[in-house]
């Protein structure tokens, strides 16, 4: 491999001749061989750095035109566009487990953008620190990249998947209107419910989760950029924070504002904790829905068997013809991972010491993994399972009419204790509620038939 010599404040170091990064990225590569190939900095963060570096250059050109010339701005903007598009992805090799401030990833972005811009210009005009990092610090750029990446990922990946599943459930509600089945509490028979009502519970849970996620986005749209090293804004021109937030809004199409208190913005990650709490709520509801679906589809002959779900692949290497609720299982595994990630996000946020949080890379890595996993799992569940749910109406009817808890309808006429006697006798002797009620002499045939109407108990 051919090398070139790069230097930084610590001296010279060899860098691959075909790499756009510089000395500080190379030092990080050599010093943090932790999770190489598996735990690299999330792509969303790299793209967010492209956005914020472009926005910062535009703001600097307005506020410090003597330093950020039109020539420099044009080259930086082009290089940043390539970062945003993913064209320079191979030049961002650093791992999550590096300095807790994310300084090395900030410098990775500075070096790649500066070197690429110099390639575009055909001369060494731009410096990573003096030009690309102008008016900034790693301490305010990394938390800004975290918020931008979180908002974009939620809006562009998670919410569309969630909306599609909600629409599928709305369709299933309409298709199953009037289909009555046995309700279940504590995994035991309960009073009747319509299948559309049961589905509406799933749908309403997801709608509420969406509302909670939306509520969490507003705080995430506040940016730390402009606080520089410790929140005082040292070396940033007056108005830079506002100007750069406006430019980030323009580039992304989402409204971002500058954080009113930069000391808070640099050290506290409470906005991410709050937002991930909403993600955890969604994960918990998806766990519940997926479990409901696989219970209802269990069997098909010796389980509940009240619904059919798509048969996507063989379920066993030894049992021929077996088909399993694999999409449900995938969703529940994702839910477990998201709930686990919530611990990492919360613990990371608790490590804001004095003027900086130094667990930011692991915090945002877990956050973004949760967004990606939820978005993908929900889309897969919708396409490969939920959209193909079909009610087994005969099985629902049979289970409903075999349920002892239909006896609840008799409470107003014979009282709770007598109704309990009816249920226990029916269970003990394997007879119907009607037969048990008549055997105990609690009602006549006409009286029983006039009040015992399971389909009207919903």
């Amino acid at each position: 491999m051919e090398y070139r010599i790069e230097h930084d404040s610590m001296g010279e170091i060899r860098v691959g001749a075909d790499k756009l990064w510089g000395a500080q990225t190379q030092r990080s590569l050599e010093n943090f061989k932790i999770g190489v190939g598996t735990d690299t900095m999330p792509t969303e963060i790299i793209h967010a750095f492209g956005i914020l570096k472009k926005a910062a250059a535009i703001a600097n050109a307005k506020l410090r035109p003597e330093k950020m010339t039109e020539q420099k701005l044009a080259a930086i903007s082009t290089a940043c566009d390539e970062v945003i598009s993913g064209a320079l992805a191979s030049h961002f090799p650093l791992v999550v487990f590096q300095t807790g401030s994310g300084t090395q990833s900030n410098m990775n972005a500075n070096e790649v953008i500066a070197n690429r811009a110099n390639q575009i210009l055909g001369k060494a005009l731009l410096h990573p620190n003096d030009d690309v990092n102008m008016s900034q610090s790693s301490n305010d750029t990394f938390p800004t990249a975290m918020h931008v990446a979180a908002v974009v990922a939620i809006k562009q990946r998670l919410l569309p998947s969630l909306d599609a599943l909600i629409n599928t459930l709305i369709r299933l509600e309409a298709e199953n209107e009037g289909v009555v089945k046995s309700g279940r509490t504590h995994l035991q028979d309960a009073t009747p419910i319509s299948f559309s009502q049961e589905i509406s519970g799933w749908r309403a849970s997801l709608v509420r989760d969406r509302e909670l996620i939306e509520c969490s986005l507003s705080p995430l749209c506040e940016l730390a950029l402009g606080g520089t090293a410790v929140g005082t804004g040292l070396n940033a021109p007056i108005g830079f924070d506002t100007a750069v937030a406006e430019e980030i809004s323009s580039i992304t199409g989402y409204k971002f504002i500058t954080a009113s208190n930069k000391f808070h913005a640099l050290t506290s990650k409470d906005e991410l904790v709050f937002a991930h709490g909403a993600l955890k709520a969604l994960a918990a509801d998806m766990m519940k829905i997926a479990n409901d679906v696989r219970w209802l589809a269990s069997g098909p002959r010796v389980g509940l068997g009240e619904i059919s779900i798509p048969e996507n692949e063989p379920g066993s290497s030894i049992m021929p013809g077996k088909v399993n609720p694999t999409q449900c299982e995938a969703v529940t595994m994702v839910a477990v991972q998201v709930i686990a990630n919530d611990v990492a996000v919360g613990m990371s946020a608790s490590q804001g010491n004095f003027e900086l949080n130094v667990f930011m890379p692991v915090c945002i890595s877990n956050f973004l993994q949760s967004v990606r996993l939820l978005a993908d799992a929900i889309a897969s569940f919708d396409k490969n399972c939920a959209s193909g749910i079909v009610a087994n109406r005969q099985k629902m009817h049979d289970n409903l009419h075999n349920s002892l808890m239909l006896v609840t309808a008799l409470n107003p006429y014979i009282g709770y204790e007598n109704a309990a006697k009816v249920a226990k006798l029916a269970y003990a002797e394997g007879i119907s509620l009607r037969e048990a009620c008549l055997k105990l002499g609690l009602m006549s045939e006409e009286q029983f038939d006039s009040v015992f109407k399971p389909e009207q108990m919903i």
Side-chain angles (χ1 to χ4, degrees):
M1 179 183 289
E2 294 184 0
Y3 295 92
R4 70 179 190 278
I5 300 300
E6 288 279 349
H7 74 276
D8 57 14
S9 60
M10 296 187 71
E12 295 183 341
I13 190 169
R14 292 198 311 172
V15 176
D18 61 335
K19 308 303 182 185
L20 287 175
W21 64 72
Q24 291 197 45
T25 302
Q26 188 65 35
R27 292 190 196 282
S28 183
L29 271 177
E30 296 177 5
N31 292 331
F32 296 95
K33 296 181 179 179
I34 307 171
V36 176
T38 58
D39 293 296
T40 53
M41 192 60 65
T43 300
E44 298 92 337
I45 287 292
I46 305 307
H47 293 178
F49 265 111
I51 291 168
L52 77 86
K53 293 297 179 181
K54 180 177 182 177
I58 295 171
N60 278 319
K62 294 177 181 177
L63 299 170
R64 309 175 84 171
E66 75 285 356
K67 289 184 173 292
M68 182 58 66
T69 64
E70 288 299 321
Q71 185 181 35
K72 289 181 177 181
L73 173 60
I76 290 175
S77 295
T78 299
C80 286
D81 287 340
E82 293 180 3
V83 172
I84 295 168
S85 72
L88 304 181
S90 63
H91 299 281
F92 291 87
L94 300 189
V95 295
V96 167
F97 301 101
Q98 51 167 279
T99 172
S101 61
T103 297
Q104 288 141 9
S105 281
N106 179 47
M107 284 307 304
N108 187 186
N110 291 333
E111 290 172 347
V112 169
I113 292 168
N115 285 333
R116 177 62 185 133
N118 286 335
Q119 281 184 352
I120 293 167
L121 291 170
K123 58 182 177 180
L125 178 64
L126 291 153
H127 187 278
N129 298 77
D130 295 337
D131 297 302
V132 183
N133 202 57
M134 186 187 300
S135 308
Q136 305 153 62
S137 162
S138 298
N139 297 350
D140 66 350
T141 58
F142 201 89
T144 295
M146 292 169 75
H147 279 208
V148 171
V151 170
V152 171
I154 287 171
K155 284 184 171 289
Q156 294 186 359
R157 294 197 63 175
L158 180 57
L159 293 185
S161 293
L162 185 53
D163 288 340
L165 179 55
I166 290 171
N167 287 332
T168 293
L169 296 179
I170 290 172
R171 173 179 62 79
L172 289 172
E173 277 184 71
E175 290 175 359
N176 291 281
E177 187 70 35
V179 178
V180 182
K181 61 186 290 293
S182 178
R184 294 180 178 86
T185 58
H186 305 271
L187 295 182
Q188 304 297 307
D189 301 346
T191 56
I193 185 174
S194 73
F195 189 34
S196 62
Q197 288 172 329
E198 193 166 52
I199 296 169
S200 78
W202 302 340
R203 184 255 308 154
S205 294
L206 298 185
V207 169
R208 176 53 53 87
D209 291 329
R210 193 189 196 288
E211 292 170 351
L212 295 174
I213 292 169
E214 285 281 6
C215 286
S216 75
L217 290 177
S218 181
L220 286 176
C221 288
E222 296 185 18
L223 304 179
L225 208 58
T228 63
V230 296
T232 61
L234 180 67
N235 290 347
I238 295 174
F240 176 77
D241 55 354
T242 302
V244 79
E246 291 174 352
E247 294 301 333
I248 290 175
S249 300
S250 177
I251 294 169
T252 62
Y254 305 125
K255 178 63 176 176
F256 288 95
I257 62 173
T258 189
S260 58
N261 188 306
K262 304 299 191 300
F263 308 105
H264 161 81
L266 266 60
T267 192
S268 177
K269 302 298 139 215
D270 51 10
E271 298 92 349
L272 286 158
V273 173
F274 180 67
H276 199 277
L279 299 181
K280 181 173 69 170
L282 173 59
D285 280 331
M286 286 303 302
M287 172 79 83
K288 190 268 184 199
I289 292 168
N291 278 332
D292 281 357
V293 169
R294 65 175 172 174
W295 273 105
L296 290 172
S298 63
R301 290 189 174 178
V302 292
L304 295 181
E306 291 189 345
I307 64 172
S308 297
I309 57 177
E311 298 181 349
N312 298 318
E313 66 277 317
S316 174
S317 61
I318 188 172
M319 293 176 280
K322 194 173 192 297
V323 179
N324 297 328
T326 51
Q327 290 296 318
C328 299
E329 292 163 5
V331 167
T332 54
M333 286 191 287
V334 164
V336 167
Q337 184 64 62
V338 172
I339 292 168
N341 286 350
D342 195 65
V343 176
V345 171
M347 287 299 297
S348 298
S350 73
Q351 301 305 304
N353 306 126
F354 300 111
E355 278 65 60
L356 186 67
N357 179 288
V358 291
F359 280 63
M360 290 191 287
V362 74
C363 178
I364 193 60
S365 177
N366 280 271
F367 187 100
L368 291 170
Q369 185 193 44
S370 292
V371 175
R372 287 193 301 270
L373 288 177
L374 282 170
D376 291 347
I378 289 171
S380 182
F381 179 73
D382 180 30
K383 176 184 177 182
N384 299 309
C385 183
S387 62
I389 289 175
V390 176
N392 185 338
R393 300 190 180 199
Q394 186 60 50
K395 183 69 170 178
M396 287 182 176
H397 176 274
D398 294 345
N399 286 346
L400 172 66
H401 284 266
N402 282 329
S403 172
L404 295 176
M405 288 306 99
L406 295 179
V407 77
T408 306
L410 303 181
N411 286 359
Y413 305 98
I414 62 175
Y416 180 94
E417 292 191 11
N418 282 333
K421 291 178 183 178
V422 171
K424 290 180 179 180
L425 179 63
Y427 180 67
E429 297 189 5
I431 60 178
S432 69
L433 292 173
R434 187 176 191 274
E435 290 170 319
C437 192
L438 295 176
K439 189 170 185 179
L440 290 170
L442 295 172
M443 300 181 82
S444 67
E445 292 183 2
E446 293 77 12
Q447 288 173 324
F448 184 92
D449 292 340
S450 68
V451 300
F452 191 77
K453 300 179 184 300
E455 279 76 15
Q456 296 179 15
M457 292 173 64
I458 61 174

